[in-house]
C-alpha cells in the first residue's frame, strides 16, 4: 500500500491550488484519496486509514468470492468491495471505471436487435434439442432415473 495514493494522476497538480473561488470543487480531479482532510494532514493517520480501508475492502471481496459458488450475490459483493477500495486507491478507481465501461458496452451490445435475434434463435434451437433428447430418453427407458436403469 502506498501512502502517496492521494496524489492525482495525469501529470498535473490538483486543481484547488490553482483555482481560488466558488468553482474550485468542480475542477477537482476524480482520482485519488477521498479521506477527510484532517486524516490526510497526518501521514501516520492517513496510512492507518488506508490500511483500514484495504482490510475492510479485502474482507468484502473475500466474502464475495466465497459467495460465488454458494447462494448469494457474489459478483455484486465483489464489486462493492472494489468500490470500498476505490474510495482510497487510484488503482481500484481505474479498475472500477474499466469495469463500468465494459458492462455498459456489453449492455449496449445485448440490446442490439441483431444480437437479440441471434440469441433468441440459438436459445430456441437449444430448447428443441434438449426436448428431443428428453423425449428419446423417456421413449426408450420411461420415467426412470439414469442410475436406476438396468441393461
Amino acid at each position: 500500500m502506498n501512502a502517496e495514493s492521494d496524489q492525482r494522476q495525469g501529470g498535473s497538480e490538483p486543481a484547488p491550488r490553482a483555482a481560488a473561488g466558488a468553482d474550485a470543487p468542480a475542477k477537482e480531479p476524480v482520482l485519488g484519496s477521498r479521506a477527510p482532510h484532517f486524516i490526510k494532514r497526518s501521514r501516520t493517520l492517513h496510512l492507518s486509514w488506508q490500511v483500514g480501508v484495504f482490510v475492510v475492502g479485502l474482507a468484502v471481496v473475500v466474502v464475495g468470492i466465497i459467495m460465488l459458488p454458494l447462494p448469494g450475490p457474489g459478483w455484486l459483493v465483489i464489486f462493492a468491495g472494489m468500490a470500498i477500495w476505490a474510495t482510497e486507491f487510484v488503482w481500484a478507481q481505474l479498475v472500477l471505471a474499466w469495469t463500468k465501461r465494459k458492462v455498459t458496452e456489453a449492455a449496449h451490445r445485448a440490446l442490439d436487435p441483431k444480437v437479440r435475434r441471434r440469441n433468441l434463435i440459438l436459445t430456441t434451437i437449444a430448447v428443441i434439442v434438449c426436448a428431443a433428447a428428453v423425449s428419446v430418453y423417456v421413449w426408450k427407458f420411461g420415467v426412470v432415473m439414469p442410475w436406476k436403469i438396468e441393461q
Side-chain angles (χ1 to χ4, degrees):
M1 288 179 287
N2 186 1
E4 304 301 323
S5 70
D6 62 329
Q7 291 180 350
R8 310 302 189 237
Q9 288 194 352
S12 64
E13 287 295 314
R17 290 183 185 173
D23 60 274
K27 293 185 179 185
E28 185 175 343
V30 178
L31 298 178
S33 174
R34 294 189 182 108
H37 183 66
F38 73 93
I39 290 177
K40 287 193 228 180
R41 274 188 283 173
S42 169
R43 182 174 172 86
T44 307
L45 188 58
H46 191 230
L47 185 60
S48 301
W49 177 270
Q50 286 182 324
V51 169
V53 167
F54 183 80
V55 169
V56 169
L58 182 65
V60 172
V61 168
V62 167
V63 167
I65 291 171
I66 291 171
M67 284 185 182
L68 286 176
L70 299 175
W75 285 110
L76 186 65
V77 174
I78 289 172
F79 292 135
M82 287 298 298
I84 291 170
W85 279 337
T87 63
E88 193 60 32
F89 302 107
V90 173
W91 60 267
Q93 293 169 358
L94 295 174
V95 168
L96 207 55
W98 179 83
T99 304
K100 286 179 184 177
R101 188 174 61 249
K102 291 297 180 183
V103 167
T104 303
E105 289 172 6
H108 286 302
R109 279 194 312 268
L111 294 175
D112 182 27
K114 291 180 182 178
V115 174
R116 291 180 69 193
R117 187 177 13 233
R118 182 200 66 202
N119 290 345
L120 184 61
I121 290 169
L122 290 174
T123 303
T124 304
I125 291 170
V127 167
I128 290 170
V129 167
C130 288
V134 168
S135 299
V136 167
Y137 178 85
V138 170
W139 174 72
K140 183 165 176 139
F141 300 109
V143 184
V144 179
M145 291 295 146
W147 52 86
K148 293 186 179 180
I149 295 175
E150 297 177 13
Q151 292 293 335

